[in-house]
Amino acid sequence: MRPIDQNAMDAILRYVNDYYRENLTSPTIRQISEATGVSKSKTQRYVVDMKERGIFEYNRGISSAPKSAKVKTSYISAPVVGSIQCGCPEQEEELVEEYVSLPVSIFGKGDYYILRAKGDSMVDAGIEEDDLIVVERNCDVSEGDIVVALDDCGENTLKRFGGYDPEEECFLLQYENEAVYPGRVIKVPSFEVQGVACHVIKSLKRR
């Protein structure tokens, strides 16, 4: 599968939304390509991809307004990159499974990716096995945030950031399941924040 240039896809979607709002009609593939600097072949491929995801109505050109423009909102693409352990830390490799369109009206503008939760250590925070967690990269982190933490051993986990303990000279990553892990905390001398969890997408139907 050819890799997706998310910046190019987002630029195409923004241009089509803006063009439709200003002109009440949709641009051609050529107009999109010239305005965004994305090649015509790549523009066509990405428009077809967005059509298959239900963002555009497309038939040999954009035949009608993008659904996002009709409802006066826009979308951003977020990659689903596998799973994150919610129990003991576990090394993961980032592997894009698919891209999901998130409405800006709900999620806001940001640099997002999506992880699938594993384990039971965050259930008190509303995060359960197989939930999809929307994570924002490159944002400020505060004590109390739920973070994707990569420690100095290259292992990552999803935990609540409990701040810094000056007496023990370590950072605190807290579990959120008092019934199973009462008061349990991971103490690390250093860690890298790979993002802050900001939304949980879950199915109401559990198998």
Side-chain angles (χ1 to χ4, degrees), residues 113-202:
Y113 64 99
I114 297 173
L115 293 169
R116 187 173 289 103
K118 295 193 298 184
D120 62 357
S121 74
M122 299 300 290
V123 296
D124 291 348
I127 300 172
E128 301 175 273
E129 182 94 13
D130 292 329
D131 284 348
L132 295 179
I133 306 160
V134 181
V135 180
E136 184 174 7
R137 295 185 180 98
N138 305 318
C139 61
D140 294 333
V141 179
S142 301
E143 184 174 336
D145 285 341
I146 296 174
V147 300
V148 178
L150 179 71
D151 67 18
D152 53 3
C153 296
E155 298 180 325
N156 65 20
T157 188
L158 183 77
K159 292 292 176 288
R160 191 177 296 281
F161 176 45
Y164 182 75
D165 185 339
E167 293 185 2
E168 297 196 37
E169 298 183 341
C170 65
F171 294 93
L172 307 177
L173 300 173
Q174 301 171 340
Y175 282 61
E176 290 281 343
N177 186 339
E178 281 298 302
V180 180
Y181 311 103
R184 186 166 178 181
V185 176
I186 299 173
K187 299 179 180 181
V188 292
S190 64
F191 73 100
E192 177 186 339
V193 175
Q194 296 189 308
V196 175
C198 52
H199 295 272
V200 179
I201 303 171
K202 60 174 66 215

